[in-house]
Every structure is written in C-alpha cells, then in structure tokens.
Amino acid sequence: MSIDAETDKLLAELGISADIDIGGGSASASVSVGGAPPPPPPPPPPSSFGGSASASINLKTKDARDAQKEIDDIFDSVISFAGKKKAPPPVAPKPKRNVHVSTISMQVKGKDAVTPAAKPSAVPAHPPPPPASTTSVASASIATPAKLPAPSKPIIQQQPVALVAFGPGLETFEVNCFGDFQVSCPPDVDEDELDVSVLGPTGSKPIDITSHGNGQFSCSYQPTAAGEHVVGVKVRDEHIPGSPFKANVKFAAYTDKCWVSGPGLKSATTTEPARFQILTKDDAGYARVRIHVLGPSRAEPIEMTENSAEKCVDVVYNPSAPGEYTLRILWGDSHVRGSPFKVNVTGEAINDATKVKVTGAGLSGGRVGETLKFFVEGEAGSGPGPLGVRIVGPSKPAIVADDSSTEGVGISYTCQDPGEYQLTLKWGDQELPMSPHSFTITGEGRAINPLLCTATGPGVSGGVVGQPAQFTVNVPDEAGPGTLSISVLGPHPPKPIEIVNNGDNTMSVKYHPQAPGEYSIEVYWADRHIGGSPFKASVSGTASRNAKLVFATGEPITDGKMKRKQLGTINVIPQDGSGPGPLRAKLEGPTRGALELSNNQDGTILVSFLPNDPGQYKLHLLWGEDVDDPSSEINGSPFTINVA
C-alpha cells in the first residue's frame, strides 16, 4: 500500500475527509530519559477516556486495540509534505495533498518512577515428569519349568528431561523492566553448553545467566526500547523447541495517571507558537509520548521539553496555514483523556521561500530523452506552499512529482529537443531565490512533421456572424517541436483570434467572424501547413457594424484648420466590435480637393486630404456600405476644417 493510500485510510478512520496534498517531509524527534514503571495498576474504566475512541475508530469493525495499533503503525511510517492547494498553470503534477502530518515522540517517566525490581534468584523446580502411561496391555501365561534361573536385577527406565524455556521474558512485558525466563535442561548440561541471545530494535542485548545446577538456569535481560525482541536459546549448538522466541516489549500506558492542559489544545494563530503541557501523577510510570498534528500545513518545528521544576512536559508546535487541525496525544499506546483534539487555527498562511532547499543533478541539464531529477524540500518554517514548477524551452518536457523520497519532493522531467531551457520554481506566491534557473539540453532533436497534426471542430468549415467559431488542433509528440500559428483570410479579418494550450497535446482555437462570406483558414506548425490546411470555411449571417466604435485622429481634425495646398493626414482606428466596414469618405467645400484612403499594416486606415482653395470644408467619414445612412458616421464625424 502506498504512503498516500495509508494516510488516506488513517484519515478516514479518524473521521477526516480531505483531498491529501503532499508539500515537505515528516517531522520526528526523540529524547530518552531514565526511569521505570511501578507495577501496572488495573486498567481504567472506559468512561475515563472521555469517549474519544468512538470518534476516531470504528469499533464495530475491529478491536479497539488492534485498530489503534494499525493507526499508530501508519503514522510511524507516513511522510508528510507542505503543499498543495492550487498551483498556477502550467505547473508540474504534484501531490494533491492538503492535509499534512507532523509527528514527534519522546520517552518520559512519572514523578516517582520505581526502580526495576531485582532479578529473582529462586531455583525453579524441574518441569513435572510426563504422567505414567494409562494404556492397558493384554497378557497371557504358560507353564514354566520346575527349576527357574536366578532372578536378574530389575531395570528402571528414567523419563528423559525435556528442553524447556518459559517465563515473561519470552512473551510480553514492559520496557525498562527485566525480561526474566527459565531454561530447563537435562542434568548433565552445564552453563558453557547453553547459548542465549537477544536481538531488539536497537541491537543485541546483554544477558545475565545464573546456573542453579542440575540443568536449571535463570536468564534475564532489560530492554530500553519497545518493540519485538527475538530471543534465541541453544543447547549444544541446537535451538531448543520454540526457539527463537519473539517477545513483545511494550510501553506502560496508564492514561488515567496523566492529563493535558493549555491554550494550544483549542485554538492557535499562524503568527505565534501554540503551547500546551502534559502533566503526570506520581505513579504514571515510564512511557513514550507521541504527538501527531494533522492539518493544512506542517506544524513544525514541534518541540517537547521535560520541565523538571513543574514536573511536566512542555509542548510547542507551529502551524503556518489557517484551518482546522487534529491533535493526537498518546501516552504509551493509548490516547490521553480528550484526545484527539480539534484545534482552530486563524491568521494568514505564512510562506518563506528562503527556507526551501533545492538539490539534485537534474538542475544541471542533460541529454535529449534522459530522465532528469531534482528535489525540493520545504524545511521547518517554510510554510504550506504549494510548490509550482514550470519549464520553458524548445519542447514541453513531461514533468512528474514524487513525494516518496526522504530528500523532499522529487521532480523528474524529460526534454525531447535540445536547446536552452528555463526552470521557474515558486513556493506559494513567492519565487525561490535560485529561480529562474537556466540549463542546457544536448543531443539530437526530433524530426519535424507538421502533416501529423490535425484540426477538428465546426470552426474549420465555417460559422455564423456574431458567434465565435471554434476548432481544436491536435499536435502529437511525433510532429516534433514548433509553434502553432493561425491565419484567417476573408471578407473581413475576424478579430480576435485566440489560441489556448490545453496541456494535453491539443490547442483550442477561437475566431470571431464579423461579416458573411468565404474564408480561408491557414493552420501552421513550425511555419508549415498541417494536414488539410488551408481549410475553406463559409460564414453565414448579416454583418454587424457599430460606427461609433471607429475613431479618427490627426491635426486637421484636432486643430480644425490647415493651409491650402498642404497635405493633411488623418488616421482612422476601428475598435473591436466595430464590424467589417468598409470606410468611406465624403468631402464638402469650396472645391473638391484631393481625397485618398489607404490601409496601414496595423489594421488602421490612412485618410489623405489636399485642399486647393481656402474656405470651410466638411469631411464625412462613414463606416459601412450605405453612405447616405446618418448612423454610418464614425465617432465625431462630420469634421469641420478651415483652410486658409
């Protein structure tokens, strides 16, 4: 099962519904202190736990202890990341995780933990011999000679002594207590022929072996860490029956002997550390305290400090994004009273891109077709992110994000064409200090084959005036690198032409025809026609015009005067929505004068006016086919010009 699946399962059992977004690594720390528990008190009644188990585990489907162990095992192995909510497109696919897990643990003892009792020295008795056989035996008799031989000495069969090991040290007991067990062997076995070994989570453990003679031995060891301990017992280089044994060493968990208090159990802000305390009674025993914080961000750094003056443990955690957090506090293997706690965190999300580390050989570039990789790790105090990755260059590299590494979020990419590329990395809305970063890809690029590109959709064959015409261009990887360009030729340029990269090897194209007629749609990839281009499109409907969206500028109409036999120029600018035109000009005055219209390269129209005689002239600029329609006058027309 993947880490994401394990975390999702855990969150479901905790009653949390979330789309998980992975941003940095898991937090962990440990501190060991001395001490040992007193004899275990009887377990507290269920009501002493405040009913918290029913809120986090479905007791109808599994035993509460087994379910809790399963949750703890998942938490102990989970890797969490700051992350993701929504990254600006285009970005690398990244772990969609908006619930993050931060964990810390330490071993603590009660105020007056009792020193472990000395090892027992009493000599254990031999295991009882096997019971006598009760099987009935059939017998028969015959006559014997009168003279019998002297009776022989009766032979007594001894029951063999079994090889046996028994005691709590081979089964279950608590950490920092002595794991005692006995080994019973045949009377002729001495201590040199007995080999006992213990291997635990922290390595081999020393064994204290006491021989009581007659093949009887007492063995003892003292584990300092909880977990499975493998005990091997050999006699004359052979494992005895049942060996190796697996002992389960547990932490003491007397949750009725400890409690928690402090404001950090109810509310917090992103601008200040959240605090609370774990307090214990005198006979709380020796246990491991574990704290898990689930929420919209990593709540790091998390600090646990034993406060000897107040006989408690001070806990501090630092959420960096607002929202609801779940705080799990476990003493040994059980929740403390009231756990899990719901904590409402307010304030603004706090990101610090300077605390995000970027490493890996993939930052230096490589060759075409080679999978390159680098790591982005949000350290403590970096904030929730999310991470945004963008690579721009001759080709669009495939980018994959992986959060399974302890080095951070692994970003892998593969470039299909050589050239210079630029990498941009963002943490939230902040760009990382090393971004943008340039790198070079070498090697042979792909062949360019625009004929493999296709265009589909209604806009390829036509449209209706006043409605956008749309089609989609599919560019497979085999078409090679290039740029898509579109040209639409016809009765009137359809403005604007929009191209949107969908990020899945397709591009959406939209144009806006403003006049009916036959159009030619030319689609180019890498400056060459794609398959089927140019396309013939027929646009129906009636042209829509708005003369008031056409404007004119120039000194003759701005100043309202000019000199005779001097050429005056006026620039006419159609705005979007003005329609297809055309522009027409009409001049009224003492003489006709010279009047010319010409198209500029930028879509504007130049009007040239040369009056021969002085007097007052009126220049009418009309937009459309009908020069006699007053509504076709452009904005400000007619213009009065006095010629001196």
Side-chain angles (χ1 to χ4, degrees):
M1 182 182 293
S2 69
I3 289 175
D4 283 357
E6 290 175 338
T7 308
D8 293 342
K9 176 181 176 182
L10 172 61
L11 294 174
E13 290 180 336
L14 290 174
I16 302 172
S17 176
D19 178 23
I20 307 297
D21 188 14
I22 307 165
S26 65
S28 63
S30 62
V31 180
S32 297
V33 298
S47 60
S48 67
F49 293 93
S52 63
S54 62
S56 59
I57 303 173
N58 184 356
L59 299 181
K60 294 181 180 179
T61 58
K62 59 178 68 178
D63 178 78
R65 182 177 294 275
D66 293 341
Q68 182 62 60
K69 182 177 185 302
E70 180 180 348
I71 291 176
D72 293 339
D73 290 343
I74 293 172
F75 263 113
D76 289 342
S77 65
V78 79
I79 298 177
S80 65
F81 294 91
K84 83 231 179 256
K85 291 194 178 176
K86 304 294 181 185
V91 298
K94 64 181 187 303
K96 296 292 183 183
R97 183 172 297 277
N98 59 23
V99 174
H100 308 279
V101 180
S102 299
T103 302
I104 191 171
S105 66
M106 69 182 296
Q107 296 184 19
V108 299
K109 63 179 178 179
K111 298 176 185 176
D112 298 308
V114 179
T115 303
K119 303 184 296 295
S121 58
V123 181
H126 269 291
S133 175
T134 58
T135 305
S136 299
V137 180
S139 62
S141 62
I142 59 173
T144 57
K147 187 177 180 180
L148 298 176
S152 60
K153 186 176 181 180
I155 299 175
I156 301 175
Q157 290 282 359
Q158 281 190 332
Q159 293 291 339
V161 178
L163 290 170
V164 178
F166 55 94
L170 304 178
E171 300 168 357
T172 301
F173 62 103
E174 293 174 352
V175 68
N176 262 48
C177 293
F178 288 108
D180 299 323
F181 61 95
Q182 318 300 323
V183 180
S184 179
C185 305
D188 58 341
V189 174
D190 57 33
E191 187 173 348
D192 293 337
E193 297 174 298
L194 176 64
D195 181 14
V196 180
S197 63
V198 177
L199 181 63
T202 57
S204 299
K205 298 296 176 186
I207 307 295
D208 184 7
I209 302 176
T210 302
S211 175
H212 304 290
N214 204 28
Q216 304 303 301
F217 302 91
S218 294
C219 304
S220 183
Y221 64 99
Q222 187 178 21
T224 57
E228 184 179 82
H229 286 64
V230 179
V231 182
V233 181
K234 291 183 179 181
V235 173
R236 295 169 180 166
D237 296 328
E238 295 290 337
H239 279 285
I240 71 171
S243 177
F245 302 89
K246 294 182 179 180
N248 183 19
V249 179
K250 294 185 174 183
F251 282 106
Y254 311 140
T255 54
D256 60 331
K257 306 297 183 182
C258 68
W259 67 98
V260 291
S261 176
L265 301 173
K266 295 181 179 180
S267 62
T269 67
T270 58
T271 56
E272 296 181 1
R275 305 176 184 273
F276 64 92
Q277 289 183 324
I278 302 174
L279 303 99
T280 61
K281 294 183 179 180
D282 292 347
D283 54 350
Y286 187 104
R288 174 180 61 173
V289 173
R290 286 175 294 169
I291 297 175
H292 308 302
V293 184
L294 299 85
S297 72
R298 294 167 61 186
E300 298 172 351
I302 304 177
E303 300 173 354
M304 297 175 64
T305 307
E306 280 196 293
N307 188 333
S308 57
E310 298 185 15
K311 302 296 183 181
C312 66
V313 177
D314 293 323
V315 183
V316 178
Y317 65 98
N318 294 265
S320 56
E324 185 178 79
Y325 289 71
T326 298
L327 184 61
R328 303 173 76 249
I329 306 173
L330 295 97
W331 179 271
D333 293 328
S334 302
H335 284 272
V336 302
R337 188 179 294 108
S339 176
F341 299 90
K342 297 296 183 182
V343 182
N344 181 37
V345 176
T346 59
E348 298 293 329
I350 299 176
N351 285 314
D352 187 350
T354 63
K355 295 181 180 179
V356 179
K357 182 173 62 176
V358 184
T359 58
L363 296 172
S364 303
R367 293 186 57 81
V368 168
E370 180 184 3
T371 299
L372 306 170
K373 190 171 186 178
F374 62 90
F375 296 92
V376 181
E377 182 181 9
E379 299 178 335
S382 61
L387 170 66
V389 181
R390 184 178 183 182
I391 300 177
V392 178
S395 67
K396 182 185 72 175
I399 302 175
V400 178
D402 176 22
D403 67 341
S404 62
S405 172
T406 58
E407 298 181 63
V409 180
I411 304 296
S412 301
Y413 66 95
T414 305
C415 297
Q416 298 174 312
D417 296 292
E420 295 297 320
Y421 289 77
Q422 189 174 77
L423 168 66
T424 302
L425 295 174
K426 282 191 172 183
W427 191 256
D429 57 355
Q430 300 178 18
E431 195 162 333
L432 269 61
M434 54 78 66
S435 178
H437 173 74
S438 298
F439 59 90
T440 303
I441 299 296
T442 60
E444 295 294 328
R446 296 170 293 166
I448 301 175
N449 192 349
L451 295 178
L452 296 178
C453 302
T454 59
T456 58
V460 172
S461 57
V464 179
V465 171
Q467 299 179 15
Q470 304 181 62
F471 61 91
T472 301
V473 179
N474 180 44
V475 184
D477 291 337
E478 295 77 12
T483 301
L484 179 68
S485 57
I486 307 291
S487 177
V488 181
L489 308 176
H492 181 73
K495 297 180 180 179
I497 299 176
E498 305 169 15
I499 302 176
V500 177
N501 189 338
N502 300 321
D504 57 356
N505 283 29
T506 66
M507 300 187 190
S508 296
V509 180
K510 182 188 298 184
Y511 64 96
H512 301 260
Q514 300 180 36
E518 299 299 319
Y519 289 77
S520 176
I521 302 176
E522 299 176 349
V523 183
Y524 301 92
W525 180 252
D527 297 326
R528 290 159 55 185
H529 281 286
I530 72 168
S533 177
F535 302 92
K536 299 301 181 182
S538 178
V539 175
S540 61
T542 303
S544 175
R545 299 180 177 91
N546 187 346
K548 300 309 176 185
L549 292 177
V550 182
F551 298 86
T553 62
E555 289 185 3
I557 61 176
T558 302
D559 298 340
K561 61 183 180 179
M562 59 182 297
K563 295 181 179 181
R564 69 185 183 92
K565 297 189 180 295
Q566 177 183 349
L567 181 66
T569 58
I570 300 168
N571 206 35
V572 178
I573 308 169
Q575 302 292 317
D576 288 342
S578 61
L583 177 68
R584 299 180 183 275
K586 184 171 66 173
L587 183 65
E588 298 174 353
T591 60
R592 183 170 183 176
L595 188 64
E596 292 184 3
L597 305 178
S598 59
N599 288 318
N600 297 322
Q601 294 295 324
D602 58 359
T604 62
I605 303 168
L606 182 66
V607 180
S608 301
F609 170 48
L610 182 63
N612 292 321
D613 298 313
Q616 188 179 74
Y617 291 79
K618 277 194 175 183
L619 177 62
H620 296 265
L621 296 178
L622 304 107
W623 189 251
E625 301 286 352
D626 190 356
V627 295
D628 295 326
D629 182 5
S631 66
S632 64
E633 298 270 3
I634 73 168
N635 194 52
S637 179
F639 301 96
T640 301
I641 304 173
N642 294 308
V643 177

